[in-house]
Amino acid sequence: MSGTLDVVLRLVAVLVAFLVLPLVVGQTEHKVMAHMQGRLGPMYAGGFHGWAQLVADGVKFAQKEDVVPAGADRRVFQLAPAVSLLPYLLVLIAIPVGPNGLVGQAIDAGLFFVLAVMGVGVLGSIMAGWASANKFSLLGGLRTAAQLMAYELPMLLAAGSVAMAAGTISLPGIVQAFHWWWIPWQLIGGLVFFTAGLAELQRPPFDMPVADSEIIFGAYTEYTGLRFALFLLAEYAGIVVLCALTTVLFLGGWHGPLSGSFGWLWTLVKTALLAFVVIWLRVTYPRLREDQLQKLAWTVLIPLGLAQIALTGIVKVVIS
Amino acid sequence: MSPVPGHGLAKGLAVTLRTMTRRSVTHQYPDAAPQLPPRSRGVIGLFEENCTVCMLCARECPDWCIYIDSHKETVPPAAPGGRERSRNVLDRFAIDFSLCMYCGICIEVCPFDALFWSPEFEYAETDIRELTHERDKLREWMWTVPTPPALDPGAEEPKEIAAARKTAEKLAAAQETAAQEGTAQETEPREGDA
Amino acid sequence: MTLAAAHPGFMSPSGVEIAFALVGIATLGAALITVTTRQLVHAALWLVVALGGLAIEYLLLTAEFIAWVQVLIYVGSVVVLLLFGLMLTKAPIGRSPDADSGNGWVALTVAVAAAATLVWVVVDAFRSTWIDLGGAAQGSTKVTGAVLFRHWVLPFEALSVLLLAALVGAIVLSRRGAPARRAASAALGALSGRGASSGPGAMSERAAGSERAAVSKRKTGES
């Protein structure tokens, strides 16, 4: 009975994190982006510095009419937001927060699980792009697919490098094996992983699939109300997942001073810092062009990823 | 080209980070009143007493948003036996602020200083017809017209003040001479008395 | 492989076995819809369901590593590539009248023959052998890795050489002659929403459907 209770408790905790953390990131983005542009951002909702802005947004989205275009493929259109959101919930289950089993569910091949399921999430955007019966949506879907194919490989290479270094592909195992000198050792891999992850999430400066000045809102053009909100939520959940994964793989997860009792806090702090970087990059850089995006993936990130694997291999052989 | 690759990228990041640490430029308008410059063009006030219904403002207005109605009145002669004078009496003076483009030409052309800029700008309405401000409302805006900025210390005296001063001085001088003459006349008979 | 002499038999299935059978039926159904539906993109999406079902079957057989690789490679990449290709052809919403190739019976024969061969091989190889999944996981990452790189290194490397050959072949095909290169740039142009051809006629066409133009151009390039 206590086993069942334990599982239920863990799942509830993951669900709560899944519902709260993306909103926190979204609110932070509102405020940080505003201040980086010399503005104040939301100030009214909820009273104190607009803390409830996203709650208000959610209420607004819930009130909107749920429109399905007449020419759209109805079922695929309606299914797409769920397909794009749910994988991130599943991924959160496998991410270790602290030592001694502070994880939703330890998975033996955790690294592969996480990367595989994250790749599925992009399928939602492609479905949305095709099913909307809108040429801009279709272009967005095409770009999403092209971007996924270009960036999945460097991401896998960088993750593979860490797995080689740790000698395991279980996420808690990787963090367990972490030493501080891994950070310089895996630096290139970390950068490649983070960049490729940003591209896979379609975050600026890699947001060509939704480029609003070119193709309106890409695959999400025809969406309204709650379904649109689910896509937005998926984007922010994706940020949380990507930052948590980078933390776990490249920044040593719960390692840090006083990691015995405050390990989970270290993971959260590192994740939050990375989320800040994601927002910072969005504010700072303009969107790349589609061909620049592909060029960056194939001519820069993949060679760098391969070089990182070679480096990891050499060091691994030397120290063993 | 920058010497270090990625130099420009880092510079961009630095710019955004620096901006974040600085105070934002947002004016929290409804909560905090805006600091308007002294010659802000908010609304036009009418100083009715100065208006002679010369119609210059209405004629010069580029979008014809000033409506003036008047009639002539005959004023009885000031002195008995004099000629009757006719005088323009203002019946209606209205500015339609839904048409007004705030060019300020009416204020410039008014030869009698009957129109003034006021910095008040919060007169939005839900009905466009309400934006036609009639004479009493325009008169009310006069109370919000700020005092004109002080002249430079070495500036020439304003004409009207100069004229008023001259008149006052003349009057004073006349009174003085009159007083002197008066005393002289008073002393003379006394001397004569003596 | 652990051989257990006294296996429990098929008459009292455990929960895992029931789940295995149910998921198997669902996977088979999805696979059937994949090959019979007239809606092209739906076929690709049903393929996702079929491949995902297979991954679940692997999971139920405790082959965790294989399961996630299945999802990563097939669902995450191959199907995305497939959808990408379908979108380039501007697959219509609803039925495609020309989706039937006309040799359905041949395909059915081949499929049934292949299935029969595979089933017969598996049944003949194992007969009534009982593999206990309760003990040390046979499909865990560690075991898979050890087996792959100790006993099956040669086939593994041979496969990678095969893939390399395919890769080189693809590059050679795509670099052959100027028309092919033009087609490639046209496809890229469709991707970035710009007409790749710079003639004045392309301007009117690009709003209507640049991807269709790109595909037709590629077809002429190949012929």
Side-chain angles (χ1 to χ4, degrees):
Chain A
M1 193 59 216
S2 72
T4 320
L5 191 69
D6 186 51
V7 169
V8 168
L9 264 182
R10 277 163 195 265
L11 290 185
V12 167
V14 167
L15 190 66
V16 167
F18 178 71
L19 291 177
V20 171
L21 289 183
L23 292 186
V24 173
V25 172
Q27 182 68 18
T28 317
E29 178 170 79
H30 269 320
K31 294 308 265 189
V32 168
M33 191 156 90
H35 281 277
M36 281 184 169
Q37 296 168 340
R39 302 182 286 117
L40 289 169
M43 289 297 282
Y44 280 93
F48 180 73
H49 284 265
W51 66 270
Q53 183 60 46
L54 287 180
V55 180
D57 281 351
V59 172
K60 179 194 76 177
F61 279 129
Q63 289 170 340
K64 285 192 174 182
E65 187 186 355
D66 185 23
V67 178
V68 180
D73 190 313
R74 209 176 174 79
R75 249 180 309 164
V76 178
F77 185 86
Q78 289 175 333
L79 203 64
V83 173
S84 99
L85 182 61
L86 282 183
Y88 293 116
L89 175 61
L90 288 180
V91 169
L92 268 191
I93 291 177
I95 291 178
V97 179
N100 313 322
L102 202 55
V103 50
Q105 172 66 46
I107 294 175
D108 177 39
L111 186 54
F112 272 88
F113 166 75
V114 164
L115 292 175
V117 174
M118 270 178 86
V120 174
V122 181
L123 214 56
S125 298
I126 300 173
M127 284 164 68
W130 176 77
S132 296
N134 175 320
K135 58 181 172 249
F136 296 110
S137 297
L138 188 67
L139 277 174
L142 276 173
R143 289 184 179 196
T144 307
Q147 196 157 323
L148 175 76
M149 282 188 284
Y151 282 89
E152 188 92 334
L153 189 54
M155 209 168 166
L156 272 176
L157 290 176
S161 158
V162 179
M164 273 171 72
T168 173
I169 56 170
S170 134
L171 290 176
I174 288 174
V175 185
Q176 208 78 54
F178 180 83
H179 297 284
W180 67 267
W181 48 269
W182 280 29
I183 292 181
W185 183 24
Q186 302 290 342
L187 179 67
I188 300 171
L191 289 178
V192 169
F193 185 86
F194 195 61
T195 314
L198 276 185
E200 209 168 307
L201 294 179
Q202 305 166 8
R203 285 288 298 177
F206 304 110
D207 61 336
M208 286 63 98
V210 295
D212 47 5
S213 48
E214 299 168 33
I215 50 174
I216 307 181
F217 210 60
Y220 318 133
T221 303
E222 296 286 359
Y223 280 88
T224 55
L226 266 186
R227 289 181 204 282
F228 182 74
L230 288 185
F231 274 122
L232 286 188
L233 188 62
E235 181 180 341
Y236 288 96
I239 295 175
V240 172
V241 165
L242 172 71
C243 295
L245 259 186
T246 313
T247 303
V248 165
L249 294 180
F250 295 96
L251 297 179
W254 61 75
H255 288 283
L258 284 177
S259 63
S261 44
F262 292 108
W264 57 274
L265 198 61
W266 273 110
T267 312
L268 285 185
V269 165
K270 288 172 183 173
T271 306
L273 277 179
L274 281 176
F276 174 77
V277 172
V278 171
I279 297 164
W280 191 10
L281 291 173
R282 171 182 179 174
V283 181
T284 305
Y285 297 134
R287 183 185 306 129
L288 269 71
R289 228 168 41 221
E290 186 66 31
D291 58 325
Q292 290 171 330
L293 170 90
Q294 297 289 334
K295 199 173 172 187
L296 178 72
W298 295 106
T299 64
V300 178
L301 292 184
I302 290 179
L304 278 181
L306 288 171
Q308 173 66 61
I309 284 200
L311 178 71
T312 309
I314 292 167
V315 173
K316 191 78 181 165
V317 170
V318 167
I319 59 172
S320 64
Chain B
M1 283 301 286
S2 57
V4 189
H7 169 76
L9 296 179
K11 217 159 134 186
L13 287 174
V15 167
T16 39
L17 197 64
R18 216 178 309 129
T19 314
M20 192 181 73
T21 55
R22 290 208 184 120
R23 238 189 133 62
S24 62
V25 296
T26 307
H27 293 288
Q28 289 183 279
Y29 154 58
D31 298 330
Q35 298 269 322
L36 292 173
R39 294 192 187 183
S40 294
R41 299 179 171 195
V43 71
I44 296 168
L46 170 69
F47 192 53
E48 213 179 294
E49 290 82 341
N50 277 0
C51 181
T52 61
V53 202
C54 66
M55 302 291 280
L56 277 180
C57 50
R59 271 192 243 165
E60 292 296 328
C61 178
D63 36 17
W64 294 76
C65 68
I66 301 180
Y67 310 113
I68 299 176
D69 290 340
S70 68
H71 67 271
K72 275 191 200 296
E73 252 177 24
T74 316
V75 185
R83 192 158 59 87
E84 278 187 341
R85 307 276 168 154
S86 69
R87 188 169 68 94
N88 284 325
V89 178
L90 194 61
D91 291 332
R92 178 182 184 220
F93 193 108
I95 300 179
D96 187 349
F97 283 104
S98 65
L99 293 179
C100 177
M101 61 182 197
Y102 301 89
C103 62
I105 289 177
C106 51
I107 293 163
E108 294 298 322
V109 298
C110 181
F112 302 105
D113 278 349
L115 292 172
F116 291 90
W117 276 121
S118 157
E120 289 297 315
F121 60 95
E122 293 169 309
Y123 50 93
E125 301 284 355
T126 49
D127 186 344
I128 195 169
R129 285 166 296 190
E130 312 263 301
L131 274 175
T132 306
H133 290 190
E134 293 294 339
R135 136 192 206 186
D136 47 344
K137 205 160 179 185
L138 291 173
R139 184 64 186 82
E140 285 302 308
W141 289 127
M142 255 330 273
W143 301 112
T144 63
V145 173
T147 50
L151 293 171
D152 291 343
E156 199 185 320
E157 207 171 17
K159 291 239 160 51
E160 64 271 25
I161 293 182
R165 193 172 49 78
K166 266 181 198 159
T167 319
E169 273 171 6
K170 257 185 203 162
L171 197 68
Q175 273 174 354
E176 207 174 313
T177 47
Q180 275 173 1
E181 273 171 19
T183 47
Q185 276 167 7
E186 263 174 36
T187 47
E188 259 173 30
R190 220 177 279 160
E191 275 171 12
D193 278 343
Chain C
M1 282 167 210
T2 331
L3 301 181
H7 60 79
F10 296 105
M11 286 300 111
S12 55
S14 65
V16 173
E17 281 156 16
I18 294 173
F20 188 87
L22 288 180
V23 173
I25 291 168
T27 308
L28 185 68
L32 282 179
I33 298 175
T34 303
V35 293
T36 51
T37 182
R38 289 289 180 89
Q39 305 190 31
L40 286 176
V41 175
H42 280 200
L45 294 176
W46 279 111
L47 186 62
V48 172
V49 176
L51 294 171
L54 267 188
I56 295 174
E57 299 281 52
Y58 286 135
L59 266 186
L60 290 174
L61 293 174
T62 70
E64 210 180 294
F65 180 74
I66 308 287
W68 300 133
V69 170
Q70 162 95 7
V71 174
L72 183 67
I73 303 297
Y74 283 94
V75 179
S77 303
V78 171
V79 172
V80 168
L81 196 63
L82 235 146
L83 282 171
F84 184 66
L86 280 180
M87 283 181 181
L88 275 182
T89 64
K90 202 152 192 287
I93 284 171
R95 287 149 179 278
S96 309
D98 54 346
D100 192 0
S101 67
N103 44 16
W105 287 107
V106 182
L108 183 66
T109 317
V110 171
V112 167
T117 314
L118 284 175
V119 168
W120 178 72
V121 165
V122 171
V123 166
D124 190 52
F126 294 100
R127 302 259 170 204
S128 59
T129 312
W130 185 261
I131 300 170
D132 189 17
L133 296 174
Q138 296 285 315
S140 77
T141 316
K142 211 178 177 90
V143 178
T144 310
V147 169
L148 195 59
F149 289 104
R150 288 214 180 103
H151 303 289
W152 302 98
V153 171
L154 194 62
F156 182 79
E157 292 297 328
L159 262 182
S160 55
V161 170
L162 185 71
L163 284 178
L164 184 68
L167 208 64
V168 172
I171 292 171
V172 168
L173 277 180
S174 64
R175 287 185 73 94
R176 193 181 53 193
R181 216 175 301 148
R182 232 192 11 239
S185 69
L188 204 76
L191 205 60
S192 56
R194 297 177 283 145
S197 53
S198 51
M203 295 294 287
S204 58
E205 200 179 27
R206 82 174 177 202
S210 53
E211 57 281 345
R212 195 192 306 152
V215 168
S216 65
K217 217 160 279 158
R218 185 170 54 182
K219 274 180 189 155
T220 54
E222 275 168 359
S223 60

